[in-house]
Amino acid sequence: MGSENLNNKSIAVLPFQNMSNSLENEFFCDGLTEEIINALAKIKDLAVTSRTSSFYFKNKAVTAKEIREKLKVATFIEGSVRRSRNKMRITVQMIDTIDDFHFWSETFDRKPDDIFQIQDEIGLFIAEKLREHIGHLEIENKLVEPIDVPVAIYREYLKGRYYIMKLDYKNSIKGIKILKDVIHKSPNFSNPYLDINLAYVNMGTMGLLPAFEAYEKAQPYLLKALELDPNSSRSQLNLAWIECWQNWNLKKAYEHANRALEIQQADDIYLTISNFLTVEGKLDAAHNYLDKALQLDPYAAINHHYRGFLYYLQEDYTTAIPYLKKALDLDPKLPFPPIYIGISLLMSGKPNEALTYFGSLEGVSVKDLTKLGGETMCYAYLNEAEKCNDGIKELETYLTTALVDKAFTFLILVNALLDNCEKVIDLVEQAYNNRLPLVLLLNPSPILKHVKHHKRFKDIMLKAIPDNVNYKQKKKYKQALLDSDEIERYTKELEQIMLDYKLYLNPDLSLKDLASYLELPANYVSQLLNLGFQKNFSEYVNTFRVNEFKERILQEESKELTIMAVAYDSGFNSKTVFNTFFKKLEGITPNTYLKSHLEN
């Protein structure tokens, strides 16, 4: 890959190498790596590779060229930690992947008890050296906030997190036990609550525990974490999930997800917004956000799965399958890809191949009904009535178990393939009445296409998702310009979208992104901005950003921030653009504006 396509403000932090024999030092190495990733992710305009992809290279010897090609970054950090009883030596190197040279190396000799200071110091040092090398970055005075717990307890916390991030059942349970002990000693420390919640949710999602049981166990830990620290990026992301999947309030879900994104850019936040857009049927916009998730975490199995899932929803089955298989290559225990590999084979007219595939499944896919449900779908497609009915009866036995979600999903899909529309709608209604999250993903399902015109089905979907694009009139595009009625309608719709989703807070927002939200071609939206607002794309979006800045700069929490920090928080990614556009719009500089309002 040539350097011309590489974002020069992009960096990966490879896992720090443990140079001691102590396993405890291993916990610290992983914790230090994560903290530096999180610290650098707070810097506006800096694309930081997420944890999953960084840790993919743990204990692997790699060259600068491999990092450039596989992670698509211009710079990476590698380091090591050597620890004795009362001394710790941390060596950090920064490597340019384009020209393959070490342009900075530093050794830090510190006491092991200075753990929080070390994390912040190294994070800031890296940021400063990076700025010297690649150009201006807006850096806060602190990147890592010290945690108000004794160092010994924080070390225990790192140990617990080390085990849960291994993502298997045995280590997750071991990690939860350690973290519960940490909570007992420091009940006001929010991190272990969030991590226990994460461990249970992961086990439920991956089929290592029944989903209902896992989420029920996770819930109280999440609620406590939110009570202790509602404003962290992780807390906001969890609130977004609750608002979407439990409360079915997409407007609030977007608000929390966008707030999480303001605090820290991370692939799972982009993936979450992609999920929400999928629920609404805005699949082009979902692809755009997933692009950003994959840029930050190209080795996250779930990101590749979701790319395949989106292509499946768009009925592009042959494109979907390689992404789904790539996800399984990265994480063979991920439970979702086998469902859609099999269904994609089925829906592309290969029922016998799909039946063989589902029949060959083992492990998680058997326990979570993928094998049973998939085979029953194949029998429905092949008109093998007796085998299909046997499968339906067996699936129905799971409706009163922890696998109720999966049982309903497969029963709905099987009956749709059998063309039992009334039965499908009865099942959807039952799922809706039980507030099962699966209802939200029935909305864009290609297998339910012929059920979607039924009034009962529409009513249920519109109750669950009031602004459901699947039930708006499909737009037919003509070569002529938009007429005055269309311009009026779309200008109102675009204004509402900008306010609801706060798209302008994304510094990388493009005309293509706007177009995907409106479900219009990009050239139509460009024309709409010119005719409806008398603005080009930059002028239109930056007007929102200036208004956001004017609102934020006068708030109490902005008093400790620089003008540019607030400008970046408002969606700008350039000091020159901000100053120029602000003066053009307001007739005065941002500094004069602030002073005049403070004097009043």
Side-chain angles (χ1 to χ4, degrees):
M1 172 181 165
S3 59
E4 66 275 4
N5 296 321
L6 212 58
N7 173 7
N8 77 317
K9 293 184 177 180
S10 56
I11 190 168
V13 183
L14 299 192
F16 277 63
Q17 193 177 354
N18 177 13
M19 301 297 283
S20 307
N21 292 324
S22 157
L23 185 58
E24 189 174 314
N25 199 47
E26 186 85 7
F27 310 146
F28 175 76
C29 288
D30 284 5
L32 178 63
T33 307
E34 285 195 63
E35 281 299 342
I36 293 172
I37 290 170
N38 291 335
L40 295 176
K42 292 177 184 174
I43 300 172
K44 302 292 179 187
D45 284 347
L46 185 62
V48 184
T49 299
S50 293
R51 181 193 191 280
T52 309
S53 290
S54 287
F55 276 75
Y56 179 82
F57 294 95
K58 183 169 178 173
N59 299 327
K60 293 178 182 174
V62 284
T63 64
K65 183 185 177 189
E66 285 175 296
I67 294 297
R68 184 181 77 236
E69 290 175 349
K70 292 179 178 178
L71 295 182
K72 313 287 192 287
V73 291
T75 315
F76 73 98
I77 300 292
E78 62 180 13
S80 64
V81 181
R82 187 183 301 276
R83 186 181 167 195
S84 61
R85 185 170 297 173
N86 52 14
K87 185 181 173 185
M88 183 151 51
R89 169 162 285 191
I90 302 170
T91 303
V92 186
Q93 297 179 94
M94 191 179 285
I95 297 121
D96 183 307
T97 68
I98 298 167
D99 297 320
D100 192 7
F101 75 97
H102 292 56
F103 62 85
W104 167 71
S105 180
E106 187 74 19
T107 299
F108 300 84
D109 287 321
R110 298 291 184 271
K111 292 178 181 175
D113 285 352
D114 294 338
I115 191 166
F116 304 121
Q117 187 184 330
I118 291 165
Q119 291 170 345
D120 188 50
E121 186 181 352
I122 293 176
L124 282 169
F125 213 97
I126 290 169
E128 286 291 353
K129 291 297 176 186
L130 196 59
R131 181 158 62 181
E132 290 171 14
H133 182 65
I134 65 172
H136 178 68
L137 292 168
E138 192 73 20
I139 302 169
E140 296 175 17
N141 291 330
K142 284 195 87 60
L143 292 176
V144 178
E145 291 298 326
I147 296 167
D148 188 20
V149 296
V151 169
I153 288 178
Y154 184 71
R155 288 191 185 282
E156 278 299 295
Y157 161 70
L158 291 179
K159 181 178 178 182
R161 182 165 172 81
Y162 172 87
Y163 285 114
I164 69 158
M165 293 312 291
K166 288 187 173 291
L167 300 179
D168 62 78
Y169 178 81
K170 185 180 174 184
N171 281 305
S172 295
I173 296 299
K174 184 174 182 176
I176 288 169
K177 187 172 182 296
I178 293 167
L179 292 172
K180 283 181 177 178
D181 191 46
V182 170
I183 286 169
H184 179 72
K185 292 172 183 171
S186 282
N188 293 325
F189 180 21
S190 64
N191 290 24
Y193 293 100
L194 274 174
D195 285 323
I196 292 176
N197 168 69
L198 176 69
Y200 280 126
V201 168
N202 281 341
M203 285 193 287
T205 303
M206 292 165 62
L208 302 173
L209 275 179
F212 179 78
E213 178 192 333
Y215 300 151
E216 194 173 49
K217 286 182 173 178
Q219 185 80 349
Y221 291 99
L222 173 60
L223 293 176
K224 185 64 179 175
L226 293 172
E227 179 191 318
L228 291 168
D229 186 8
N231 295 318
S232 74
S233 175
R234 299 296 93 192
S235 295
Q236 288 296 316
L237 187 59
N238 277 294
L239 284 168
W241 274 97
I242 289 170
E243 288 297 350
C244 178
W245 300 106
Q246 291 180 24
N247 300 342
W248 294 3
N249 187 331
L250 277 171
K251 189 166 184 240
K252 283 193 175 178
Y254 280 114
E255 284 174 11
H256 287 300
N258 279 314
R259 176 66 187 131
L261 206 53
E262 285 177 62
I263 299 165
Q264 177 184 359
Q265 287 194 60
D267 74 294
D268 53 351
I269 305 173
Y270 283 119
L271 175 64
T272 296
I273 296 174
S274 184
N275 294 159
F276 299 164
L277 290 163
T278 304
V279 166
E280 290 191 282
K282 295 175 179 173
L283 301 182
D284 288 340
H287 270 295
N288 290 345
Y289 272 88
L290 191 64
D291 284 344
K292 295 173 175 68
L294 276 163
Q295 283 163 17
L296 292 176
D297 215 342
Y299 281 85
I302 192 67
N303 291 344
H304 289 274
H305 160 74
Y306 209 76
R307 173 71 87 215
F309 178 63
L310 287 174
Y311 280 121
Y312 156 76
L313 293 177
Q314 292 175 312
E315 300 177 66
D316 187 352
Y317 304 118
T318 52
T319 306
I321 289 172
Y323 283 103
L324 297 165
K325 287 184 173 176
K326 171 74 172 172
L328 281 181
D329 287 343
L330 290 168
D331 183 359
K333 290 183 280 190
L334 197 65
F336 319 112
I339 301 171
Y340 298 103
I341 291 172
I343 297 179
S344 292
L345 289 169
L346 181 66
M347 297 305 291
S348 55
K350 300 174 182 173
N352 289 309
E353 202 175 318
L355 186 59
T356 302
Y357 177 79
F358 281 123
S360 70
L361 293 176
E362 298 173 352
V364 171
S365 300
V366 176
K367 291 177 193 168
D368 75 358
L369 303 186
T370 299
K371 182 174 183 175
L372 171 62
E375 286 178 334
T376 308
M377 286 178 70
C378 293
Y379 294 136
Y381 190 100
L382 290 163
N383 293 315
E384 294 195 27
E386 190 177 338
K387 288 180 178 178
C388 180
N389 287 334
D390 288 345
I392 288 172
K393 284 175 189 169
E394 191 174 346
L395 284 168
E396 285 173 344
T397 66
Y398 289 96
L399 291 175
T400 53
T401 71
L403 292 172
V404 57
D405 245 73
K406 281 280 172 60
F408 261 116
T409 299
F410 283 118
L411 285 168
I412 287 165
L413 296 177
V414 168
N415 279 285
L417 289 169
L418 292 171
D419 215 18
N420 294 337
C421 289
E422 291 301 323
K423 180 64 176 172
V424 168
I425 298 166
D426 288 343
L427 287 164
V428 171
E429 192 165 33
Q430 286 178 57
Y432 174 85
N433 291 336
N434 287 312
R435 301 287 290 187
L436 297 179
L438 71 95
V439 171
L440 301 188
L441 283 174
L442 296 176
N443 169 24
S445 171
I447 296 176
L448 299 182
K449 266 197 310 189
H450 61 293
V451 185
K452 290 178 184 180
H453 66 276
H454 281 251
K455 185 178 184 305
R456 278 177 64 211
F457 187 84
K458 280 186 188 180
D459 289 346
I460 295 165
M461 287 293 108
L462 286 167
K463 272 195 291 183
I465 315 146
D467 183 26
N468 191 324
V469 300
N470 280 278
Y471 303 112
K472 292 180 181 177
Q473 190 63 37
K474 283 286 177 191
K475 303 169 182 70
K476 292 183 179 175
Y477 307 121
K478 51 188 184 295
Q479 295 305 308
L481 297 174
L482 293 165
D483 63 37
S484 57
D485 287 344
E486 287 174 320
I487 289 169
E488 185 181 352
R489 178 157 55 92
Y490 286 131
T491 52
K492 286 179 183 173
E493 194 174 333
L494 182 55
E495 289 285 285
Q496 197 59 52
I497 284 169
M498 290 294 280
L499 293 170
D500 284 351
Y501 299 120
K502 291 187 180 289
L503 297 182
Y504 51 87
L505 293 178
N506 174 11
D508 299 320
L509 185 70
S510 66
L511 182 65
K512 181 185 170 190
D513 291 330
L514 275 196
S516 63
Y517 275 85
L518 273 175
E519 302 274 303
L520 280 171
N523 60 324
Y524 274 60
V525 177
S526 179
Q527 178 196 329
L528 175 68
L529 294 174
N530 281 286
L531 295 177
F533 299 97
Q534 290 76 53
K535 291 183 173 88
N536 62 30
F537 170 76
S538 293
E539 290 168 335
Y540 178 71
V541 175
N542 285 334
T543 301
F544 280 95
R545 289 170 177 157
V546 165
N547 290 333
E548 182 78 14
F549 170 84
K550 285 161 61 182
E551 188 179 311
R552 284 178 184 242
I553 196 68
L554 300 175
Q555 292 172 356
E556 187 68 30
E557 55 264 35
S558 295
K559 286 185 177 177
E560 302 299 318
L561 299 175
T562 65
I563 281 178
M564 276 318 298
V566 179
Y568 286 129
D569 285 346
S570 304
F572 284 99
N573 61 7
S574 158
K575 187 175 183 177
T576 307
V577 170
F578 167 63
N579 285 324
T580 305
F581 198 83
F582 190 95
K583 192 168 182 183
K584 178 183 173 184
L585 205 64
E586 298 296 321
I588 54 176
T589 66
N591 207 26
T592 306
Y593 174 86
L594 178 58
K595 282 180 181 174
S596 67
H597 279 76
L598 291 177
E599 286 165 5
N600 296 336

